[in-house]
Amino acid sequence: MQATAYTYDDETRSGSVLLDDGTPLPFDAAAFDAGGLLLLRPGQRVRIDVSGEGDARRIVLVTLQTL
């Protein structure tokens, strides 16, 4: 799934993305670290892997979107 980085805190390595429908979805340090990223800037396109559904939905992986 694709999204746009919305917020990122480099101290906690957590933040949030906006799904293409405008829905914000937070991610934690574990999801950020799983993608091997060093930095994320708001506005960057990212690829995310999500587990769960509804209120239990959470991001498990954040990587940069590449063509």
Side-chain angles (χ1 to χ4, degrees):
M1 174 183 300
Q2 295 180 22
T4 302
Y6 184 54
T7 64
Y8 175 68
D9 182 329
D10 61 344
E11 289 183 22
T12 63
R13 297 182 329 282
S14 62
S16 63
V17 301
L18 291 177
L19 303 180
D20 288 343
D21 67 1
T23 304
L25 193 59
F27 62 87
D28 59 16
F32 182 80
D33 293 344
L37 298 175
L38 299 176
L39 180 66
L40 189 60
R41 292 187 179 93
Q44 285 183 300
R45 287 295 285 176
V46 294
R47 187 179 67 81
I48 57 172
D49 288 348
V50 179
S51 71
E53 295 182 20
D55 290 340
R57 182 169 59 167
R58 66 183 200 90
I59 297 174
V60 296
L61 175 74
V62 178
T63 59
L64 291 180
Q65 177 65 34
T66 58
L67 297 176

